C-alpha cells in the first residue's frame, strides 16, 4: 500500500512541474515554450519543419511585424493576425536539410512585445550524408 501512495505522490509532483505559470506583463508579451529547437541528428533531405510555440502573456494583443532567418536555408512563417492576451501562437521554421553537416541558425522575431521587441530564436542539429551504396 505504501508503494502505491509513493508513486501517486511522485506523479503529482511531476504534473506540477510541467504547469509552470508565465508571469503576466503590461502591454503585449511573448513567452516561448523553448527558444532553441534541437533537430538532433537527422537524415539528408529529412523533413526540416519545426515550430516555436509561444503565448501572449501580456494584457494587449501581440503583433509580429517580421521574422527573418539568418540565411536563405532557414525560412520562418509568421502568424498574420494579432495574438490575443492569453492566446498561443506558432512561428514555423523550415530548415533546408539538403545541406549536409552540423548547423546552428537563428530566426529573429520583431514584434510589439513590451520590453523585448526583438527576440532571437535558435535551431541546431546535424544532417547526415546519404548512406554509401555498395
Amino acid at each position: 500500500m505504501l508503494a502505491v501512495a509513493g508513486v501517486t505522490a511522485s506523479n503529482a509532483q511531476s504534473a506540477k512541474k510541467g504547469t509552470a505559470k508565465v508571469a503576466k506583463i503590461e502591454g503585449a508579451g511573448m513567452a516561448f515554450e523553448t527558444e532553441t529547437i534541437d533537430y538532433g541528428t537527422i537524415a539528408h533531405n529529412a523533413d526540416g519543419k519545426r515550430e516555436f510555440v509561444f503565448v501572449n502573456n501580456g494584457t494587449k494583443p501581440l503583433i509580429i511585424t517580421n521574422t527573418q532567418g539568418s540565411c536563405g536555408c532557414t525560412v520562418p512563417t509568421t502568424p498574420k493576425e494579432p495574438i490575443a492576451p492569453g492566446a498561443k501562437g506558432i512561428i514555423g521554421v523550415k530548415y533546408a536539410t539538403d545541406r549536409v553537416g552540423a548547423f546552428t541558425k537563428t530566426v529573429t522575431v520583431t514584434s510589439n512585445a513590451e520590453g523585448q521587441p526583438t527576440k532571437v530564436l535558435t535551431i541546431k542539429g546535424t544532417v547526415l550524408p546519404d548512406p554509401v551504396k555498395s
Side-chain angles (χ1 to χ4, degrees):
M1 183 116 162
L2 272 175
V4 173
V7 170
T8 305
S10 69
N11 286 346
Q13 287 174 345
S14 301
K16 286 180 187 172
K17 287 180 187 173
T19 55
K21 290 279 184 184
V22 176
K24 279 276 190 194
I25 61 168
E26 286 298 316
M30 190 179 340
F32 284 87
E33 287 180 2
T34 182
E35 295 178 15
T36 301
I37 293 178
D38 188 346
Y39 282 61
T41 302
I42 57 175
H44 184 227
N45 291 319
D47 181 10
K49 292 181 183 177
R50 302 291 187 274
E51 295 179 335
F52 287 99
V53 179
F54 64 91
V55 65
N56 177 355
N57 62 330
T59 57
K60 295 183 179 170
L62 173 69
I63 300 167
I64 297 175
T65 54
N66 191 37
T67 54
Q68 181 69 49
S70 57
C71 71
C73 60
T74 307
V75 181
T77 57
T78 310
K80 303 294 182 222
E81 301 298 319
I83 309 299
K88 282 189 175 185
I90 293 173
I91 293 175
V93 63
K94 181 172 191 221
Y95 179 71
T97 60
D98 59 339
R99 299 159 187 246
V100 173
F103 65 91
T104 300
K105 303 295 179 184
T106 60
V107 174
T108 303
V109 181
T110 308
S111 71
N112 67 332
E114 196 64 38
Q116 196 167 26
T118 303
K119 183 73 162 170
V120 179
L121 307 172
T122 303
I123 61 169
K124 63 182 182 176
T126 302
V127 178
L128 295 173
D130 286 331
V132 177
K133 296 179 182 175
S134 344

